[in-house]
């Protein structure tokens, strides 16, 4: 199961499929990144892009935490995913909380 470990030790689960310009999908509350699988599959099969998504802390297969469930920490977690996957010139797609 692919994960990153954030600076505070939280395990964040992610999927990363395909090659090309990255498209990063960010889910809303109370969903998980699985809700983007249809879009990721489309772009991957078409060979158009690298598609990535994660389960925010407290959601899906990521650690359930008492702390850090705020927009600043969500953004920090996503920045660490960008660093881990070396995502450059990414297109961001978000829904609800994931769009903030």
């Amino acid at each position: 199961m692919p994960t990153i470990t954030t600076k505070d030790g939280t395990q964040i689960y992610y999927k990363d499929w395909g090659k090309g310009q990255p498209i990063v999908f960010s889910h809303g509350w109370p969903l998980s990144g699985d809700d983007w699988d249809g879009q990721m599959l489309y772009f991957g099969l078409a060979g158009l892009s690298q598609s990535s998504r994660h389960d925010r802390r407290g959601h899906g297969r990521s650690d359930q935490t008492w702390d850090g469930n705020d927009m600043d920490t969500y953004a920090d977690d996503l920045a660490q995913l960008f660093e881990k996957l070396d995502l450059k010139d990414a297109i961001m797609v978000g829904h609800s909380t994931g769009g903030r």
Side-chain angles (χ1 to χ4, degrees), residues 21-95:
Q21 182 179 15
I23 301 175
V24 179
F25 296 93
S26 186
H27 67 83
W29 184 90
L31 308 172
S32 75
D34 290 342
D35 294 293
W36 295 111
D37 282 355
Q39 289 81 1
M40 289 180 64
L41 186 60
Y42 171 81
F43 287 109
L45 289 174
L48 298 174
S49 70
Q50 171 186 356
S51 295
S52 303
R53 64 77 158 175
H54 68 295
D55 291 344
R56 281 197 323 270
R57 61 176 61 220
H59 297 77
R61 288 171 286 251
S62 291
D63 285 349
Q64 306 297 308
T65 59
W66 286 104
D67 298 317
N69 294 297
D70 57 77
M71 296 311 293
D72 288 337
T73 307
Y74 293 155
D76 290 344
D77 293 346
L78 187 56
Q80 290 174 69
L81 179 68
F82 266 67
E83 185 177 322
K84 160 86 175 179
L85 299 178
D86 194 30
L87 299 173
K88 306 280 193 240
D89 298 319
I91 297 167
M92 292 291 304
V93 178
H95 171 260

Side-chain angles (χ1 to χ4, degrees), residues 11-29:
Q11 294 286 308
I12 303 293
Y13 173 79
Y14 69 91
K15 287 183 183 176
D16 185 49
W17 299 343
K19 301 273 188 239
Q21 182 179 15
I23 301 175
V24 179
F25 296 93
S26 186
H27 67 83
W29 184 90

